[in-house]
Amino acid sequence: MTNHPIAAIVCALIASLLIAVAAVAQQRAAAAVPTDTALMGTLLRNPRWWAGIGGDAGGYAMQVVALAFGAVLVVQPILVSALVFALPLAAWLNGQRISARAATAALILCAALALFLIVGNPTVGEDNAPFREWLVPLAILLGIVAVATLVGLVITDRSGRALALGLAGGALFGLAAALTDRVVALFGDGLGAVLSGWQTWALVAAGLLGLYLQQRAFQVGPLSASLPAATIAEPLAAAFLGLTALGEHLRTDGAGLLVVVICVVVMCVATVALCRTSAVARTGADEQVR
């Protein structure tokens, strides 16, 4: 991994734009599937959903490039800004205006993100951390995913189910992001190293299961419950693994560390507000289409 923060930020912003386009397409497709209908079977026949998958693939490719230039703690928070791109796009497609509340939340999110990067100044970690360094963090994260998934399957409240499944899916995407840089590095050692590396199969499993849980969250409950959970869980899970397994850290302490913590809290609150606003707009548009 090289340390070129400007390149990492630019690539992460491009990834955010592609992810935003993909999210609008996938969310509109998933929201149109009745809960008593096979979700993946229906989506696999939907061209709009496949267009979203293509956008996700492009966004993930740019995320890989961004992680090659900078730390997980730099790249993952920037990907939250996909919501800033998704909001005007969704509003334009739905023939709606962006509300003052949504615009304010987007500005606050961007400001908190910029302050986090400037004050925190995250370091680059190790892409070849041994499995023993991953063991405890992985156990904690997968335990959270298992509990959230179980809650999402057994409770009857639709909003609660969507929130829990969205949280589980987002956390798995965060795990996939933290594993990405090591898997890319394995390609330098040949295909055999890629196929024999545990990180490769963990990434594939996390990505596929995360995708399924995300789509289930979109189907079983309102988007206003699933989107905030998934959007917040991904960068937090990746940051947790970056700090615990990859040896990344923030180059600040004292008052600077307090500012970073406040920025993370503000980003979470602004993300929830932004997601709720855009989710309501998309849900209303989907009802009009139906």
Side-chain angles (χ1 to χ4, degrees):
M1 181 187 292
T2 56
N3 188 13
H4 299 287
I6 300 301
I9 291 171
V10 171
C11 292
L13 286 172
I14 296 174
S16 297
L17 176 59
L18 292 172
I19 291 171
V21 174
V24 172
Q26 286 187 60
Q27 290 157 7
R28 286 171 65 87
V33 180
T35 55
D36 58 351
T37 303
L39 175 62
M40 296 309 298
T42 303
L43 292 179
L44 288 172
R45 297 191 298 270
N46 190 321
R48 176 187 290 173
W49 187 79
W50 278 109
I53 292 296
D56 266 342
Y60 184 71
M62 290 306 302
Q63 183 181 354
V64 170
V65 176
L67 288 170
F69 285 124
V72 170
L73 287 176
V74 172
V75 175
Q76 285 304 121
I78 294 176
L79 295 182
V80 175
S81 65
L83 295 169
V84 179
F85 297 121
L87 179 62
L89 176 60
W92 176 68
L93 290 174
N94 296 331
Q96 298 173 341
R97 286 188 172 186
I98 301 176
S99 68
R101 178 181 177 183
T104 301
L107 291 175
I108 292 175
L109 174 61
C110 291
L113 174 60
L115 192 59
F116 172 87
L117 294 174
I118 293 172
V119 176
N121 193 18
T123 64
V124 173
E126 299 292 333
D127 62 17
N128 60 348
F131 182 72
R132 65 178 180 273
E133 300 293 336
W134 285 86
L135 191 57
V136 174
L138 269 179
I140 294 173
L141 183 62
L142 293 179
I144 294 173
V145 170
V147 171
T149 302
L150 181 62
V151 170
L153 293 176
V154 301
I155 64 174
T156 57
D157 178 69
R158 294 180 67 248
S159 294
R161 294 183 67 191
L163 188 149
L165 292 172
L167 171 65
L172 287 170
F173 285 143
L175 169 58
L179 292 167
T180 293
D181 199 58
R182 177 52 183 165
V183 173
V184 172
L186 288 174
F187 277 95
D189 298 326
L191 184 59
V194 175
L195 296 178
S196 62
W198 69 267
Q199 298 94 334
T200 302
W201 302 109
L203 186 152
V204 171
L208 291 177
L209 183 56
L211 176 64
Y212 174 75
L213 291 175
Q214 184 186 61
Q215 303 304 315
R216 284 285 292 172
F218 291 155
Q219 183 189 36
V220 301
L223 295 177
S224 58
S226 60
L227 280 177
T231 304
I232 293 173
E234 181 176 350
L236 290 183
F240 169 70
L241 292 172
L243 290 168
T244 56
L246 300 179
E248 297 180 358
H249 63 273
L250 300 173
R251 285 179 285 203
T252 187
D253 53 17
L257 186 59
L258 178 61
V259 171
V260 168
V261 172
I262 293 174
C263 286
V264 171
V265 173
V266 170
M267 287 169 61
C268 291
V269 174
T271 298
V272 170
L274 190 56
C275 282
R276 288 183 64 87
T277 302
S278 57
V280 170
R282 282 191 294 271
T283 301
D286 290 335
E287 292 298 328
Q288 291 177 4
V289 172
R290 295 177 198 172

